[in-house]
Amino acid sequence: MSALGLTAVLGGCGLTGDSGEVTLKLVAADYGDSTANSSKKYWDALVKEYESEHDGVQVDVSVYSWSDVDRKVKELVDAGKAPDLAQIGAYADYADAGRLYKADDLVSIPVQADWIHQLSDAGEVDGVQYGMPFAASTRLLFYNKTLFTEAGITPPTTWEELATDAGALKAQGVKYPYALPLGPEEAQAETMQWLLSGGGGYTDTLGTYSIDSSENTGTFTWLKNDLVAKGLTGPVAPGKLDRADAFAAFANGDVGMLNGHPSLMKMAAKKGVKFGMVPMPGKNGESKLSMGVADWMTAFKENGHAEQIGDFLDFVYSEKNVLAFSREYDLLPVTNSASAVMSAAKQDADLKPFLDELPLSETYPVGETSWAQVSAAVKKGIGQAVASGGSPATVLSRLQATAAEAQTAE
C-alpha cells in the first residue's frame, strides 16, 4: 500500500520503443481508482512529450497497483534486473544496500532546492538523500456538518472538546462519534497523528525510537479512558476497525469525526455528505504538528544512465508536471513552486487546508531500515492498547522493545 493510504487496483504497461541510444525503465505505482484516471495515462502523456524533445532517449514505463508495485520492484532487483527508476512507497533498504544513486548525483540544484524541505529531509539515510519525494499528503480532522448542527456543537480544538463533542454525538444516536481506526490496515497513521497531538511521536529529536515515552503513554491512556471506554468510538473495536471501513462509514453519514486525507473529500461529496475540515486537536489546543506522508522516486545504479536519469527527473519535477499530477489525484505537490501555485488557485481551494498543514508536518521515520518492521508491529498490536483490559504502558513498552531491537540490527 502507498504511504498515502491509497489502494488503487489497476495495473498495466506504459510506452515502449526499440529505437534510440538509451532506454530508461521506470516502474511506477498507480494512483487512479479507475481505467479513466490510471497513472498510466499520466506517464504516457509525460513520456511522449519528453521523448519528442530528447532524441536518443526512450522511457519504458510499467504501472502496477499499490498492491503489487513494491513487490514487483523487489523481484526485479533480486533478479539482477533493477529498473533505472522506481516510484514506490519506500527506499531505505535499497539505499542501505548501496543500490541507489544519491539525489545529488542526478537532479539539478534548482530542482533539489524546490523540494519541500521536510520531504527532502525525510528522504535521507545518514544525512544523504536517496529518496526523492514524489507525492505527499497530510491529515485533517473531518467532521460531519449535519450531525454537528443536530447535536448543537462546534469543531473541537482540544482533546477535552473532542470528547465532549463525541459525547453529544453519541447522545444523538451517531453510530461512530469519533472513528478510531487502529486495525491492521493503516493503524500506524492514526497512531502517529495522535502521538503528535500529544506532544510525542515515534522517535525523539535524535531519531531514536521513543514509542513508550511518557507523552505517548499519556496519549493512549487518554484515548482508552476518555474515548474508547466511554463508548465514543463506535460499535467496532478500534483494533478491528480499518481506515478504509472508517472512511466508508463517514461517506455513509455514520461518523461524526475522524482523521482523513484528501481522497476522503471526493468520497464524502459523492455521497452528499456535508463536511468540514480542521487541524487535529491537541492535548491543550490545536496540534502544533500534523502527520505528513510521502511516496518516493528512487533511481538504481545497476544500469548506469545517471545523466539521462537526471535529465528526465528534472523534466518530471517541472512545475507543470508536478501540478498536473497533484491535481489529477488530489495529492499535495512536493515542490515549493507548485505548492505556491495551488495555494493561490481557486481550482485548488479544497486542498488549501491540507497545503497549509504541510509545512507543519512530520513524516514517518522512513529513513530507518527498521521502520517497515516497526510499522508492521504497530499495525498488529496497537489496538490492544485501548482494548478493554489492555494496558497502554505495556503495549507501548512492547513496541518500543521491538523498535529498539530492529534499530540496533540496522
Side-chain angles (χ1 to χ4, degrees):
M1 173 180 282
S2 156
L4 305 186
L6 306 174
T7 55
V9 293
L10 300 171
C13 293
L15 297 175
T16 59
D18 53 13
S19 62
E21 298 167 12
V22 172
T23 297
L24 299 178
K25 293 192 177 294
L26 164 63
V27 175
D30 200 333
Y31 291 83
D33 56 11
S34 68
T35 304
N37 72 343
S38 167
S39 293
K40 178 184 183 302
K41 294 180 69 174
Y42 171 81
W43 285 112
D44 281 0
L46 183 148
V47 166
K48 183 177 180 180
E49 182 179 353
Y50 180 79
E51 290 180 345
S52 72
E53 300 171 2
H54 296 79
D55 290 337
V57 179
Q58 301 246 332
V59 185
D60 179 350
V61 184
S62 299
V63 175
Y64 296 91
S65 74
W66 273 111
S67 305
D68 299 325
V69 68
D70 289 299
R71 175 184 55 78
K72 182 63 178 177
V73 170
K74 185 177 186 304
E75 288 174 355
L76 290 170
V77 171
D78 289 347
K81 299 177 181 178
D84 298 284
L85 292 156
Q87 187 270 299
I88 48 181
Y91 65 85
D93 285 346
Y94 297 128
D96 188 60
R99 293 184 175 276
L100 300 181
Y101 283 114
K102 295 181 280 190
D104 278 349
D105 295 337
L106 301 171
V107 298
S108 65
I109 291 174
V111 168
Q112 292 182 60
D114 198 24
W115 283 325
I116 293 169
H117 76 86
Q118 292 100 320
L119 302 180
S120 290
D121 290 349
E124 294 181 354
V125 173
D126 296 330
V128 178
Q129 186 180 356
Y130 297 94
M132 293 167 277
F134 183 76
S137 181
T138 53
R139 303 290 167 101
L140 291 170
L141 184 76
F142 281 67
Y143 65 96
N144 184 310
K145 286 186 173 181
T146 303
L147 297 179
F148 266 58
T149 299
E150 291 172 353
I153 54 177
T154 56
T157 59
T158 66
W159 288 1
E160 184 179 354
E161 290 175 5
L162 187 148
T164 300
D165 284 352
L169 290 163
K170 182 183 180 183
Q172 290 287 317
V174 175
K175 190 173 181 180
Y176 293 90
Y178 178 85
L180 182 65
L182 295 178
E185 179 200 349
E186 207 189 17
Q188 84 285 0
E190 183 75 11
T191 296
M192 182 169 176
Q193 189 72 65
W194 277 100
L195 296 184
L196 292 173
S197 74
Y202 283 120
T203 59
D204 61 21
T205 54
L206 299 177
T208 302
Y209 285 106
S210 56
I211 297 173
D212 62 348
S213 68
S214 58
E215 293 86 354
N216 293 345
T217 302
T219 294
F220 268 83
T221 300
W222 184 88
L223 279 172
K224 181 178 188 294
N225 296 338
D226 289 64
L227 282 188
V228 181
K230 293 181 179 179
L232 301 179
T233 55
V236 179
K240 296 185 180 300
L241 181 65
D242 282 336
R243 190 268 314 165
D245 294 333
F247 276 22
F250 186 84
N252 286 331
D254 292 331
V255 175
M257 300 173 276
L258 85 171
N259 285 317
H261 52 61
S263 69
L264 182 56
M265 293 189 297
K266 276 187 178 176
M267 288 179 63
K270 193 178 291 186
K271 292 287 192 76
V273 172
K274 295 179 180 177
F275 61 90
M277 302 175 297
V278 294
M280 175 69 177
K283 187 175 182 179
N284 301 306
E286 188 177 299
S287 181
K288 293 183 175 62
L289 286 174
S290 172
M291 187 186 73
V293 289
D295 295 328
W296 305 96
M297 179 70 76
T298 58
F300 287 86
K301 296 192 290 188
E302 187 165 316
N303 306 314
H305 303 157
E307 182 180 347
Q308 292 85 357
I309 291 171
D311 188 66
F312 177 64
L313 289 176
D314 281 352
F315 182 75
V316 168
Y317 284 104
S318 67
E319 182 181 298
K320 179 186 75 169
N321 288 325
V322 172
L323 281 171
F325 179 83
S326 301
R327 284 169 168 163
E328 178 66 33
Y329 300 108
D330 280 335
L331 293 167
L332 306 186
V334 296
T335 61
N336 291 300
S337 58
S339 187
V341 171
M342 290 182 74
S343 291
K346 285 185 178 179
Q347 74 182 92
D348 304 308
D350 57 346
L351 283 174
K352 191 172 189 312
F354 295 95
L355 288 163
D356 291 344
E357 286 292 296
L358 196 54
L360 308 171
S361 66
E362 184 173 310
T363 63
Y364 299 127
V366 288
E368 304 285 342
T369 58
S370 56
W371 170 241
Q373 184 177 342
V374 174
S375 176
V378 171
K379 290 178 184 180
K380 183 178 180 181
I382 194 64
Q384 298 165 19
V386 297
S388 176
S391 165
T394 300
V395 172
L396 293 178
S397 178
R398 185 165 62 237
L399 290 171
Q400 174 65 21
T402 297
E405 183 179 350
Q407 194 168 41
T408 301
E410 287 182 344

